[in-house]
Amino acid sequence: MASGFLFLQGMNLPTKVKAIHSWAYAMLLGWGSMSLRWGYGVIPDFLSLVLSNALATLALGLILLGLRRFDGQAPHMSLILVLGILEVLCVSWFTLMDDNFEARILVFSVYALVGLSLSAKAAFVGRSMFRSLARPLIGWFLIAMLGAVLLQAISALFFGTNLERLDISSLLNLLTLGITNILILGLFFGFVMLANDCVRAELTSLANTDALTLGLNRRAFMEEAARALARERRQERLCALLMFDLDHFKQINDRFGHVQGDVVLKGFADRVRQRLRAGDVFGRYGGEEFLVLLPGADAGAGFVLAEQLRTRVAEFPFSMGGEKTALTVSVGLAVDNGEGGIPELIEAADWALYRAKHRGRNRVVVFDEQEAEAVGMPLADE
């Protein structure tokens, strides 16, 4: 049932979550392994012991593969693959050539300890771009499975054949089967939670992202910038805001078409992102206007970055319609004065941007409170 549910869920999930198929196959193979194991003494040992063990070995490997695929990592399964092959060969030997129950358990336990350790590490320290309670849940369940494997190995050394048949009524069999089933059920819920959290994070990203430039949209920028501004004020640090406007952008659309205009907007956004620090907030305010909030930056630091970006845009023309076309950008800079919020900071940067355009474009202007009060602080209307 768990395997079937994961398969059905994976059919309708984004490509990034297709790793869920690995977990679904792991559940299916685990079920097959347990079913064959129950047939010990009734069906040939090759099926009940060797094939059953091989399916369990593959299931553990698929759990690790799924966790790594989920994070977009290279599988790097060489170690676990080699150990798995050696483990299956050893189990086959201790079943068909030299029947030794304790040796079979110990060999599988070594493989399981390595596989589960690597899987737990992948669960705890994965590189997902979103937080999920499912990660530690899966990690702790895998660690608990490590404990169950150790219990089985220790029991095999001291109690031997009392564990060999699953249909023997004993406390050890009850513990082994009960703990295993509970942990498998926990893993199942962990995988489902992780996949759902991934989808939720992706939907949130789509709702907050400008589809063309991949920066934050206006609403998301206002929310994220407000949080960053409040954080900087609590720490008594400054915060600078840059407002960019591509000069004469309408002429680009009129001359080359809106498709090429979109290419320019995307290219400009890419150039800005390359210069930003971790923690800076970048978004598209509307049309050809962009905003960058620089936490911890004063007017000097903000001016330096603005000049770097302005120069970079001016010195590297865009290729449009088979020809190189120069582009310039005007920038308004404002620094938080501890009053108001993001709307007021944007208003100040907008005034500075207006002055930059009024003075000939392709320049950076810093908001001047005294000058703004003297002229009534007009806002940009172009």
Side-chain angles (χ1 to χ4, degrees):
M1 290 176 62
S3 176
F5 184 87
L6 290 174
F7 273 120
L8 290 175
Q9 188 181 34
M11 290 173 60
N12 299 313
L13 292 179
T15 304
K16 181 180 179 181
V17 200
K18 292 303 181 183
I20 199 171
H21 286 161
S22 297
W23 301 324
Y25 280 117
M27 292 284 178
L28 184 61
L29 292 174
W31 169 76
S33 173
M34 187 62 73
S35 299
L36 291 173
R37 188 69 181 85
W38 274 99
Y40 177 68
V42 179
I43 61 177
D45 288 352
F46 175 78
L47 298 177
S48 63
L49 298 179
V50 177
L51 183 57
S52 170
N53 175 81
L55 294 180
T57 300
L58 186 55
L60 288 177
L62 286 173
I63 290 176
L64 174 60
L65 176 64
L67 288 168
R68 287 180 172 171
R69 287 183 61 194
F70 183 83
D71 290 329
Q73 299 179 1
H76 296 308
M77 298 294 289
S78 301
L79 172 63
I80 203 70
L81 179 61
V82 171
L83 287 178
I85 293 174
L86 291 176
E87 185 266 342
V88 171
L89 292 175
C90 289
V91 169
S92 300
W93 175 268
F94 290 120
T95 299
L96 305 177
M97 306 301 294
D98 180 15
D99 189 10
N100 189 321
F101 170 71
E102 292 84 355
R104 289 197 299 269
I105 290 293
L106 291 177
V107 168
F108 177 76
S109 297
V110 171
Y111 169 80
L113 289 174
V114 174
L116 290 172
S117 297
L118 293 174
S119 296
K121 178 182 178 181
F124 281 120
V125 298
R127 298 181 299 180
S128 285
M129 300 301 292
F130 64 94
R131 295 181 179 179
S132 172
L133 290 176
R135 277 197 172 278
L137 177 67
I138 292 172
W140 284 115
F141 272 117
L142 291 169
I143 289 177
M145 292 186 75
L146 275 172
V149 169
L150 287 173
L151 174 64
Q152 187 181 48
I154 294 171
S155 300
L157 290 175
F158 290 98
F159 299 99
T161 54
N162 288 335
L163 286 173
E164 190 166 4
R165 290 178 61 90
L166 297 181
D167 57 351
I168 293 178
S169 178
S170 70
L171 178 60
L172 289 175
N173 271 336
L174 177 62
L175 286 174
T176 301
L177 292 176
I179 292 175
T180 300
N181 287 330
I182 291 173
L183 295 178
I184 289 175
L185 185 63
L187 281 180
F188 162 69
F189 282 113
F191 294 149
V192 172
M193 288 173 58
L194 190 59
N196 288 339
D197 287 347
C198 179
V199 173
R200 189 179 300 110
E202 186 168 337
L203 291 176
T204 300
S205 176
L206 289 173
N208 293 339
T209 303
D210 176 67
L212 176 63
T213 63
L214 302 183
L216 295 175
N217 57 32
R218 184 169 181 165
R219 176 190 59 79
F221 177 87
M222 299 293 286
E223 294 176 355
E224 183 64 27
R227 286 191 290 268
L229 180 62
R231 184 173 59 248
E232 296 306 303
R233 285 180 176 178
R234 286 194 300 270
Q235 298 176 4
E236 298 183 349
R237 297 197 303 179
L238 293 175
C239 213
L241 179 73
L242 305 179
M243 176 174 264
F244 298 87
D245 187 284
L246 304 187
D247 297 328
H248 304 297
F249 183 72
K250 185 177 182 302
Q251 295 180 10
I252 294 177
N253 280 335
D254 293 342
R255 181 180 177 185
F256 299 101
H258 286 83
V259 173
Q260 287 296 323
D262 288 348
V263 172
V264 171
L265 290 174
K266 186 178 182 302
F268 172 77
D270 291 341
R271 292 181 183 182
V272 172
R273 271 193 297 270
Q274 291 172 3
R275 293 284 182 173
L276 297 184
R277 310 162 302 173
D280 292 342
V281 185
F282 170 66
R284 185 180 181 186
Y285 192 60
E288 65 271 22
E289 291 184 334
F290 296 84
L291 293 170
V292 176
L293 184 74
L294 305 172
D298 57 13
F303 187 86
V304 169
L305 177 62
E307 269 295 313
Q308 290 176 347
L309 291 171
R310 184 195 65 79
T311 303
R312 180 175 176 81
V313 171
E315 292 180 349
F316 295 91
F318 288 86
S319 179
M320 291 179 288
E323 61 181 273
K324 297 289 185 179
T325 301
L327 180 71
T328 61
V329 61
S330 300
V331 189
L333 166 63
V335 178
D336 176 43
N337 62 3
E339 299 178 0
I342 290 297
E344 288 73 22
L345 197 56
I346 292 177
E347 186 179 23
D350 196 22
W351 178 89
L353 177 62
Y354 174 84
R355 306 302 286 177
K357 286 183 169 293
H358 183 72
R359 295 173 185 175
R361 295 182 169 84
N362 189 26
R363 66 191 65 238
V364 180
V365 172
V366 181
F367 173 72
D368 187 317
E369 187 172 358
Q370 293 182 349
E371 181 183 356
E373 291 178 352
V375 299
M377 196 171 176
L379 301 181
D381 56 0
E382 47 182 312

